[in-house]
């Protein structure tokens, strides 16, 4: 796949994700999802779609605000903010209705016109701090 084809695949995926449409069509059958630094992993088109929908539509009513995209022939990176409202249980925290805005990055492995893997890097301590209404430094210093 050329870098232009990879960019178009990622653009169409992002469009479908933002519209809460059928973005699973852009996943390879054996796609892998990891939320780095947590035990959140999924494999397979349906499982990965459900993991992403859980974050954007169940635990939060959220959308990515994309800041930058870098695309090569077989890989892409996105820098974004995860912006929304905490609407359901997440990491043992019941819904608070609090607003969240967390920077994060996603690295994609691309194969053909499909996403083969997604690795999400998100500061979970900051996200939990916003859910709890505490600062990031308070979360980092509090016992688990």
């Amino acid at each position: 796949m050329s870098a232009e084809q990879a960019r178009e695949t990622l653009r169409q995926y992002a469009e479908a994700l933002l519209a809460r449409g059928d973005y699973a069509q852009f996943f390879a059958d054996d796609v892998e999802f990891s939320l780095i630094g947590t035990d959140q992993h999924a494999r397979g088109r349906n499982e990965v779609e459900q993991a992403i929908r859980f974050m954007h539509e169940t635990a939060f009513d959220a959308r990515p605000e994309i800041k930058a995209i870098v695309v090569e022939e077989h890989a892409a990176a996105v820098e974004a903010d995860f912006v929304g409202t905490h609407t359901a249980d997440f990491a043992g925290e019941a819904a608070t209705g609090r607003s969240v805005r967390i920077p994060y990055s996603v690295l994609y492995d691309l194969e053909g016109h499909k996403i083969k893997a997604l690795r999400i890097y998100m500061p979970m301590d900051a996200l939990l701090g916003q859910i709890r209404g505490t600062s990031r430094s308070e979360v980092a210093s509090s016992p688990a």
Side-chain angles (χ1 to χ4, degrees):
M1 169 183 336
S2 73
E4 287 177 23
Q5 291 169 320
R7 183 177 317 282
E8 182 60 18
T9 296
L10 200 61
R11 184 194 67 73
Q12 289 176 8
Y13 166 75
E15 235 176 55
L17 177 67
L18 289 169
R20 296 185 174 180
D22 179 18
Y23 51 83
Q25 68 179 306
F26 297 98
F27 297 152
D29 290 339
D30 60 346
V31 62
E32 294 185 33
F33 164 94
S34 298
L35 184 55
I36 304 301
T38 74
D39 61 357
Q40 299 290 316
H41 302 282
R43 185 180 177 113
R45 183 178 291 145
N46 293 333
E47 292 80 6
V48 170
E49 177 188 21
Q50 290 308 308
I52 294 170
R53 286 198 190 278
F54 173 77
M55 287 292 292
H56 289 90
E57 299 175 30
T58 303
F60 300 89
D61 179 12
R63 291 193 174 9
E65 289 184 2
I66 297 171
K67 297 188 224 178
I69 299 174
V70 178
V71 180
E72 303 234 348
E73 290 180 9
H74 301 288
V78 173
E79 178 187 19
D81 284 338
F82 182 78
V83 180
T85 303
H86 180 220
T87 56
D89 184 74
F90 179 77
E93 299 290 331
T96 62
R98 288 194 172 100
S99 295
V100 297
R101 175 178 284 274
I102 299 295
Y104 74 108
S105 297
V106 184
L107 298 178
Y108 298 90
D109 294 341
L110 305 169
E111 188 175 276
H113 293 281
K114 301 290 183 182
I115 296 169
K116 184 80 171 160
L118 302 87
R119 291 176 302 285
I120 299 174
Y121 296 83
M122 179 182 282
M124 297 307 290
D125 59 338
L127 179 59
L128 290 171
Q130 288 185 16
I131 289 171
R132 294 173 181 148
T134 59
S135 73
R136 184 176 182 159
S137 60
E138 290 172 319
V139 172
S141 65
S142 67

